[in-house]
Amino acid sequence: MEPVRVQLSRKKGWKLPPDTVSVARPGRWGNPFSVVPEAPPGTPVTTRGGGTYIAMPSVAAAVAAYRRWVLEDPAGQRLAEEARSALRGKNLACWYPLDGPCHAEVLLDIANR
């Protein structure tokens, strides 16, 4: 069975399915590009939790920036190489709705191609 994207939930009783890895922030696999429409694209922003991310105007722009980063930036390429071994064959979970763009799709593609 091909790995799929799973939407995380805070509903009572919901549990991460078997063979599923959370790729949400904060965490190793989280997208460093965040939707902050009021900030100029590419601006570093700090969240309430203290994390620093790079502002993007939309989810689609953040996912596109993430894809470019893992394909072109040395740090992103290292992460992609780690994803190939650590995430291969695993379902990936994030908070974004399943019917829209999400960086988990990028990781699924990298890990399972």
Side-chain angles (χ1 to χ4, degrees), residues 6 15 35 37 41 49-50 52 56 62 67 74 77-78 84-85 88-90 94 96 100 110:
V6 173
K15 291 183 180 164
V35 180
T52 301
M56 288 288 139
R67 183 177 296 278
Q77 290 171 343
R78 284 191 297 276
R84 285 184 187 94
S85 60
R88 182 178 306 277
K90 305 283 187 191
C94 195
Y96 282 97
I110 288 167

Side-chain angles (χ1 to χ4, degrees), residues 2 8 10 12 20 22 24 34 43-44 52 56 60 79 82 89 95 99 101 111 113:
E2 180 132 348
L8 292 169
R10 289 186 177 95
K12 186 176 179 176
T20 303
S22 174
S34 187
T43 303
T52 301
M56 288 288 139
L79 186 84
E82 292 173 31
W95 294 104
D99 61 353
R113 59 168 95 119

